[in-house]
């Protein structure tokens, strides 16, 4: 019925694939293959995540009791600053786009590669350079202004700000180039028959993200340049003692950093759409709304930066306007949530590990979103600003949203990336631990915030002690869960069962037209697309009776792997 | 890599066509779109500085008017003409290679490069003259003839904006050298001249940004 050809379906891995066709170190470091570049990003950002995660555990441990436990106040400031900077600029912003986007996006499009493979490799090394600058700042010492670098403190406190601003600038440049590459790839590299209406929702998520990357990141770039010269030459743009205006810095910073939260979350939306469709075996309800709401969120995200500055002395009228537009963002986001739930309602749910993460996401992101709306309410924000409520809010969104979705995506694509199945049983246990640990850690922080515990404090009143203690215990459960994930994913590389080309019975091209792991050029033949990404019933028609269901039955029988 | 050849891959294709593109047309469209997007980010980068300029100008209009008298509009005007001329020669270079006139291409690339260098020379004299007077950015400002609160802000903005613009000119010179070398090696023809076209676009943006900087800093 269609011109598509099915590549191998049997369980023996293809003899030559992108991982083994050339094993030299040079072939990795200079590779132009988007899949290998994605893997190099995976290793790099996972390292950043682990380092920043250990710092988080130290912060949490310090706060288990009032007073000093393991570090001085000065060290505490550095540790939490480093945690925030690494998590935001070296982990969460590049995480899904650079790892999964690189690996999956061209395959979702039926392309051999991204539009500019060399630029892609360059983005990677630019990113690494940014990471090294962060290390440089660490060596110079005294990184203690938090990840927001508010002036004039940041421009006066230490020399490390010189490194840090360069680091953010350089990492931002990498982010711009990645986004640019993806936009062009989506526009120009789609396989024949792959219309915009047939794009997987992950592609839509990455596409919307890329728009934000390209349009917002230059602003943080120039802000960092100005901050750099503020420190170096005292140019007096932001420092009131020199006639500058610190609130201008906040405007610049948040004009990027609010949209940046959508760089963090829109790709996560994309992954969740894939997971919910595949593991409910049902096309996404309201495909078009889900697709276009990402773009709508991307654009609205540019108009709300002022909600970070309600208490900075901006005029009442602008505060009201920012508050109003902030509420508006809830609409497209709500549309997505309802469509995901409706998809599950109509589908038949298969509770594999990736789906557990998708369900966790729905729950945690809902809390993140509602607390965001609460913070968008002017009167409430005056009370909650710079308290642990904000800390709880953004962790529910960034960790409960993005990180959980990234984990779901990592599990989902793991068989494709490595050709191996991980241990499903351990996968489920870890997902449960992460969910429970996460809520214990961060729900307590929401409560602490409403009680008046300020953020970024080294010490606190005795009445907050119990809650802090509980939060710290929660972080241990969370950490244990993440550690188990690391363990069994690595173990699967050596002992994992060989993955078939389509273990989940998904209908997107990377599963239906490529082996696991894929050929160096992704597809043996350029796919010709004649159906949507979630037309599961057409899938079995296309590939012969019971294709998908048979694959799934195979996977089910042999569980746990 | 032996097993990776596929029907889609085995067709003979021109040397400039990278293997992951289907046609030269697709490759050219992609490159051009990429360049346009990149130029958008360049404009946004400058937009941050224009916002800073606008904010301080709105707050301290008299200071800005007074400070700008220290800049020499004749030198600024000369540089404007130089850059406009170079935009013309770069356009000519594209025109010539479209007609397979390699000599015309090389001559015009060289002319553009000369203009870019002339621009920097003028800028050099402007800068050094001001340094000589003590007109530095921010807290290092020490010129007593034109002084007062926020004068230093004007020059901070002036140096940052023109400095970053100048950096773009230097990058442009590097790109023109690269193009000239490739052109003399005969890499370009009417069938393929994408790098020339893309660098041309870049250079137009560098020109346009100056067209905004000149009146804002020197004239008003
Ligand atoms: C989509 C993913 C989101 C992420 C990643 C995110 C992240 C963050 C972060 C990191 C902060 C703290 C900023 C700081 O360090 O000062 C924050 C604060 C805030 N967020 Fe979100 N957020 C998201 C969504 C939302 C939504 C949907 C809303 C409202 C509808 C919202 C409203 C706010 C407000 C009003 C604040 C300021 C709180 C204050 O400082 O008083 N956010 N968010
Ligand atoms: Cu925000």
């Amino acid at each position: 019925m269609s011109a598509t050809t099915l590549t191998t379906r049997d369980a023996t891995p293809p003899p030559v694939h992108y991982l083994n066709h050339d094993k030299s170190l040079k072939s990795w470091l200079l590779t132009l293959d988007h899949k290998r570049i994605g893997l190099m990003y995976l290793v790099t950002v996972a390292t950043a995540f682990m380092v920043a995660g250990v710092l988080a555990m130290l912060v949490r441990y310090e706060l288990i009791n009032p007073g000093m436990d393991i570090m001085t106040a000065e060290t505490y400031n550095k540790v939490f600053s480093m945690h925030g900077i690494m998590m935001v600029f070296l982990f969460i912003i590049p995480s899904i786009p650079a790892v999964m986007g690189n690996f999956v996006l061209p395959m979702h499009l039926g392309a051999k590669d991204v539009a500019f493979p060399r630029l892609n490799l360059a983005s990677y090394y630019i990113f690494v350079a940014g990471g090294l600058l962060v290390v440089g700042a660490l060596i110079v010492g005294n990184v203690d202004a938090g990840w927001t670098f508010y002036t004039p403190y940041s421009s006066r406190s230490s020399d490390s700000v010189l490194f840090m601003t360069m680091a953010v600038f350089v990492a931002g440049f990498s982010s711009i180039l990645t986004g640019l590459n993806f936009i062009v790839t989506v526009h120009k590299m789609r396989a024949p028959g792959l219309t915009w209406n047939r794009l997987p929702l992950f592609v839509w998520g990455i596409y919307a993200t890329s728009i934000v990357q390209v349009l917002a990141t230059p602003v943080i770039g120039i802000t960092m340049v100005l901050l750099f010269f503020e420190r170096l030459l005292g140019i007096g743009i932001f420092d009131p003692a020199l006639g500058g205006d610190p609130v201008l810095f906040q405007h610049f910073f948040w004009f990027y950093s609010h949209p940046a939260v959508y760089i963090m979350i829109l790709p996560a939306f994309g992954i969740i759409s894939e997971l919910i469709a595949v593991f409910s075996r049902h096309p996404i309800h309201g495909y078009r709304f889900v697709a276009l709401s990402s773009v709508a969120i991307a654009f609205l995200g540019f108009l709300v930066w002022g909600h970070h500055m309600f208490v900075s002395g901006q005029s009442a009228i602008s505060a009201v306007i920012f508050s109003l537009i902030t509420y508006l963002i809830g609409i497209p986001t709500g549309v997505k949530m309802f469509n995901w739930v409706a998809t599950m309602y109509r589908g038949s749910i298969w509770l594999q590990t990736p789906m557990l993460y998708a369900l966790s996401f729905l729950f945690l992101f809902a809390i993140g979103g509602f607390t965001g709306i609460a913070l968008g309410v002017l009167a409430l924000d005056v009370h909650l600003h710079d308290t642990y409520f904000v800390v709880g809010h953004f962790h529910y969104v960034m960790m409960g949203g993005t990180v959980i979705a990234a984990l779901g995506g990592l599990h989902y694509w793991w068989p494709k990336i490595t050709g191996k199945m991980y241990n499903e049983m351990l996968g489920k246990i870890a997902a449960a631990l992460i969910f429970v640990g996460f809520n214990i850690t961060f729900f307590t922080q929401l409560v602490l915030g409403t009680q008046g515990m300020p953020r970024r404090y080294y010490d606190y009143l005795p009445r907050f002690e119990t809650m802090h203690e509980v939060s710290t215990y929660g972080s241990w459960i969370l950490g244990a869960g993440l550690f188990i994930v690391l363990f069994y994913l690595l173990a699967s590389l050596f002992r994992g069962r060989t993955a078939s080309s389509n273990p989940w019975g998904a209908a997107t091209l990377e599963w239906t037209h490529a082996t696991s792991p894929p050929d160096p050029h992704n597809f043996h033949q350029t796919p010709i697309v004649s159906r949507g990404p979630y037309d599961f019933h057409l899938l079995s028609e296309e590939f012969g009776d019971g294709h998908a269901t048979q694959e799934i039955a195979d996977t089910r029988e042999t569980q746990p792997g | 890599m032996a097993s990776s050849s596929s029907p889609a891959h085995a067709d003979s294709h021109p040397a400039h066509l990278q293997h992951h593109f289907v046609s030269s047309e697709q490759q050219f469209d992609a490159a051009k779109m990429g360049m346009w997007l990149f130029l958008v980010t360049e404009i946004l980068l400058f937009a941050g500085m224009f916002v800073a300029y606008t904010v301080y100008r709105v707050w301290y209009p008299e200071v800005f008017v007074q400070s700008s008298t220290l800049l020499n509009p004749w030198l600024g005007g000369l540089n404007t003409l130089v850059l406009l001329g170079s935009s013309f020669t770069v356009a000519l270079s594209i025109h010539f290679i479209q007609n397979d006139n390699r000599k015309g291409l090389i001559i015009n690339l060289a002319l553009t490069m000369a203009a870019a260098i002339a621009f920097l020379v003028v800028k050099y004299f402007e800068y050094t003259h001001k340094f000589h007077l003590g007109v530095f950015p921010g807290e290092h400002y020490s010129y007593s003839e034109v002084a007062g609160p926020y004068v230093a802000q004007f020059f901070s903005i002036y140096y940052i904006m023109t400095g970053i613009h100048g950096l773009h000119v230097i990058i442009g010179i590097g790109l023109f050298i690269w193009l000239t070398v490739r052109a003399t090696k005969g890499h370009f023809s009417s069938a393929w001249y994408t790098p020339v076209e893309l660098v041309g676009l870049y250079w137009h943006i560098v020109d346009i940004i100056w067209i905004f900087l000149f009146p804002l800093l020197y004239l008003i």
Side-chain angles (χ1 to χ4, degrees):
Chain A
M1 58 150 287
S2 75
T4 45
T5 12
L6 181 59
T7 48
T8 129
R9 256 186 55 199
D10 44 52
T12 47
V16 175
H17 49 72
Y18 83 103
L19 290 170
N20 69 5
H21 73 94
D22 184 348
K23 287 186 173 160
S24 65
L25 184 65
K26 190 169 150 242
S27 77
W28 276 91
L29 295 180
L30 298 180
T31 182
L32 299 181
D33 180 351
H34 66 98
K35 301 184 289 302
R36 285 187 165 202
I37 294 176
L39 266 186
M40 297 205 292
Y41 267 116
L42 177 61
V43 173
T44 317
V45 302
T47 310
F49 181 64
M50 276 187 282
V51 175
V54 169
L55 295 177
M57 303 297 276
L58 293 177
V59 169
R60 237 7 293 163
Y61 190 71
E62 171 55 42
L63 291 171
I64 194 167
N65 297 313
M68 181 171 140
D69 292 294
I70 51 171
M71 55 180 104
T72 61
E74 288 74 36
T75 316
Y76 174 84
N77 287 349
K78 291 180 200 167
V79 173
F80 89 71
S81 295
M82 219 41 207
H83 160 70
I85 291 167
M86 291 189 75
M87 278 295 188
V88 170
F89 296 108
L90 297 185
F91 169 68
I92 205 165
I93 289 181
S95 62
I96 302 178
V99 179
M100 261 75 102
N102 253 318
F103 192 94
V104 178
L105 182 87
M107 301 199 78
H108 265 173
L109 298 174
K112 280 188 192 150
D113 209 322
V114 292
F116 311 117
R118 250 176 280 162
L119 187 69
N120 202 15
L121 184 66
S123 315
Y124 173 74
Y125 283 110
I126 294 172
F127 175 69
V128 171
L132 291 178
L133 282 167
V134 171
V135 177
L138 201 60
I139 292 169
V140 172
N142 233 26
V143 191
D144 60 357
W147 73 278
T148 49
F149 310 112
Y150 273 14
T151 53
Y153 182 73
S154 62
S155 64
R156 301 202 151 202
S157 64
S158 86
D159 285 334
S160 68
V161 75
L162 291 175
F163 279 87
M164 241 3 145
T165 50
M166 271 199 288
V168 173
F169 182 87
V170 169
F173 198 54
S174 157
S175 169
I176 290 177
L177 295 179
T178 303
L180 184 156
N181 212 339
F182 287 167
I183 293 179
V184 177
T185 305
V186 173
H187 275 268
K188 303 290 180 196
M189 308 293 283
R190 303 197 306 274
L194 189 54
T195 58
W196 287 89
N197 283 322
R198 286 178 181 163
L199 289 182
L201 286 161
F202 179 70
V203 174
W204 276 103
I206 293 287
Y207 181 70
T209 308
S210 302
I211 295 177
V212 184
Q213 281 177 298
V214 168
L215 296 186
T217 318
V219 178
I220 194 82
I222 192 63
T223 310
M224 290 298 134
V225 170
L226 292 173
L227 181 54
F228 181 88
F229 285 115
E230 184 90 16
R231 168 74 209 182
L232 196 68
L233 304 172
I235 57 173
I237 302 286
F238 301 132
D239 186 343
L242 303 169
D245 179 25
V247 177
L248 186 64
F249 178 85
Q250 297 187 18
H251 279 294
F252 278 175
F253 182 84
W254 287 112
F255 186 80
Y256 164 76
S257 291
H258 188 82
V261 308
Y262 297 105
I263 300 178
M264 304 168 195
I265 199 70
L266 288 171
F269 290 165
I271 290 182
I272 295 304
S273 299
E274 296 301 313
L275 297 185
I276 297 229
V278 169
F279 291 93
S280 307
R281 307 215 55 71
H282 195 273
I284 283 285
H285 194 266
Y287 169 90
R288 256 179 220 218
F289 280 111
V290 178
L292 293 178
S293 60
S294 286
V295 182
I297 292 171
F299 278 105
L300 280 175
F302 279 97
L303 306 176
V304 300
W305 77 91
H307 66 210
H308 296 270
M309 302 164 61
F310 286 155
V311 298
S312 72
Q314 65 181 339
S315 73
I317 185 82
S318 47
V320 170
I321 291 170
F322 280 128
S323 172
L324 198 77
I325 310 173
T326 301
Y327 300 159
L328 285 184
I329 294 197
I331 297 172
T333 317
V335 165
K336 278 183 191 290
M337 292 293 269
F338 284 122
N339 278 311
W340 287 325
V341 174
T343 307
M344 291 195 293
Y345 174 71
R346 299 293 204 79
S348 86
I349 295 177
W350 184 26
L351 276 185
Q352 292 294 85
T353 309
M355 187 60 171
L356 290 185
Y357 283 107
L359 296 177
S360 299
F361 174 94
L362 292 185
F363 183 86
L364 302 176
F365 183 73
I367 296 182
F370 283 132
T371 49
I373 297 283
L375 290 169
V377 178
L378 275 172
L380 271 179
D381 187 69
V382 172
H383 179 64
L384 294 170
H385 181 78
D386 271 352
T387 66
Y388 261 72
F389 191 84
V390 174
V391 181
H393 154 70
F394 70 72
H395 281 94
Y396 264 95
V397 189
M398 295 193 331
M399 175 113 203
T402 309
V403 177
I404 294 288
L407 283 170
L410 188 63
H411 284 79
Y412 174 60
W413 280 301
W414 191 258
K416 184 56 62 182
I417 296 175
T418 64
K420 301 288 184 180
M421 301 300 290
Y422 52 83
N423 185 311
E424 186 63 36
M425 191 64 192
L426 285 176
K428 285 180 176 154
I429 293 173
L433 282 178
I434 291 174
F435 181 78
V436 172
F438 179 88
N439 280 299
I440 296 177
T441 311
F442 293 108
F443 200 81
T444 42
Q445 299 189 2
L446 291 174
V447 179
L448 273 171
T450 57
Q451 293 174 347
M453 169 75 208
R455 74 194 273 208
R456 295 179 173 175
Y457 273 34
Y458 172 68
D459 205 355
Y460 50 82
L461 298 174
R463 68 188 168 98
F464 297 127
E465 183 168 4
T466 321
M467 281 290 184
H468 270 299
E469 227 178 294
V470 173
S471 182
T472 302
Y473 294 144
S475 74
W476 294 348
I477 301 177
L478 179 58
L482 288 168
F483 187 76
I484 295 175
V485 173
L486 179 71
F487 167 77
Y488 67 74
L489 285 185
L490 288 181
S492 79
L493 295 179
F494 306 102
R495 308 199 37 207
R497 208 160 39 78
T498 306
S500 69
S501 62
N502 191 359
W504 317 119
T508 42
L509 296 173
E510 83 276 28
W511 299 108
T512 56
H513 285 68
T515 52
S516 303
D519 183 84
H521 290 77
N522 298 351
F523 308 103
H524 285 294
Q525 279 175 331
T526 306
I528 295 170
V529 182
S530 57
R531 53 166 174 73
Y534 312 113
D535 287 339
F536 298 103
H537 60 295
L538 293 181
L539 177 73
S540 25
E541 228 171 82
E542 192 175 319
F543 294 129
D545 269 346
H547 160 78
T549 39
Q550 187 52 47
E551 290 269 357
I552 290 174
D554 291 349
T555 316
R556 276 186 175 167
E557 261 163 33
T558 42
Q559 290 302 333
Chain B
M1 297 266 277
S3 73
S4 65
S5 66
S6 68
H9 196 233
D11 312 327
S12 64
H13 50 60
H16 65 260
L17 183 62
Q18 294 173 324
H19 84 276
H20 62 294
F21 288 112
V22 179
S23 64
S24 300
E25 208 184 2
Q26 186 194 26
Q27 178 172 332
F28 178 68
D29 285 354
K32 205 160 170 178
M33 184 177 184
M35 194 64 194
W36 274 110
L37 281 171
F38 178 70
L39 296 179
V40 168
T41 68
E42 288 279 30
I43 290 178
L44 286 164
L45 184 88
F46 277 93
M49 290 179 280
F50 281 116
V51 168
Y53 172 92
T54 311
V55 166
Y56 283 100
R57 180 164 191 107
V58 167
W59 284 343
Y60 317 113
E62 324 77 39
V63 180
F64 267 48
V65 171
Q66 188 202 359
S67 311
S68 71
T69 57
L70 266 183
L71 298 177
N72 184 336
W74 295 106
L75 289 181
L78 175 66
N79 259 349
T80 309
L81 290 179
V82 167
L83 276 194
L84 280 175
S86 71
S87 253
F88 178 66
T89 52
V90 93
L92 274 184
S93 67
I94 296 169
H95 166 78
F96 280 126
I97 195 61
Q98 279 170 338
N99 297 313
D100 278 317
N101 181 343
R102 208 143 59 78
K103 210 169 134 215
L105 167 70
I106 293 171
I107 291 175
N108 277 288
L109 286 177
L111 284 175
T112 315
M113 219 172 348
I117 292 169
F119 178 91
L120 288 179
V121 170
V122 173
K123 215 72 234 133
Y124 170 80
F125 284 116
E126 284 191 80
Y127 274 13
T128 45
H129 175 63
K130 279 189 198 57
F131 293 159
H132 183 71
L133 294 177
V135 178
F136 290 107
E139 60 186 2
H140 303 288
Y141 187 91
S142 60
Y143 182 53
S144 49
E145 305 273 302
V146 179
Y150 308 116
V151 171
Q153 256 77 27
F154 176 87
F155 285 99
S156 296
I157 290 170
Y158 165 79
Y159 280 117
I160 301 269
M161 289 183 104
T162 55
I164 291 180
H165 178 264
L167 182 66
H168 280 78
V169 175
I170 293 173
I171 293 171
I173 294 176
L175 292 171
F176 287 124
I177 293 175
W178 173 69
L179 283 184
T180 315
V181 170
R182 290 195 71 175
T184 50
K185 287 186 185 162
H187 287 182
F188 307 124
S189 71
S190 61
W192 185 70
Y193 55 91
T194 310
V196 186
E197 172 125 18
L198 299 189
V199 173
L201 279 176
Y202 168 84
W203 193 250
H204 289 317
I205 291 290
V206 173
D207 186 19
I208 288 171
I209 288 170
W210 177 258
I211 305 269
F212 280 93
L213 289 182
F214 172 56
L216 288 181
L217 293 169
Y218 289 74
L219 298 181
I220 61 173

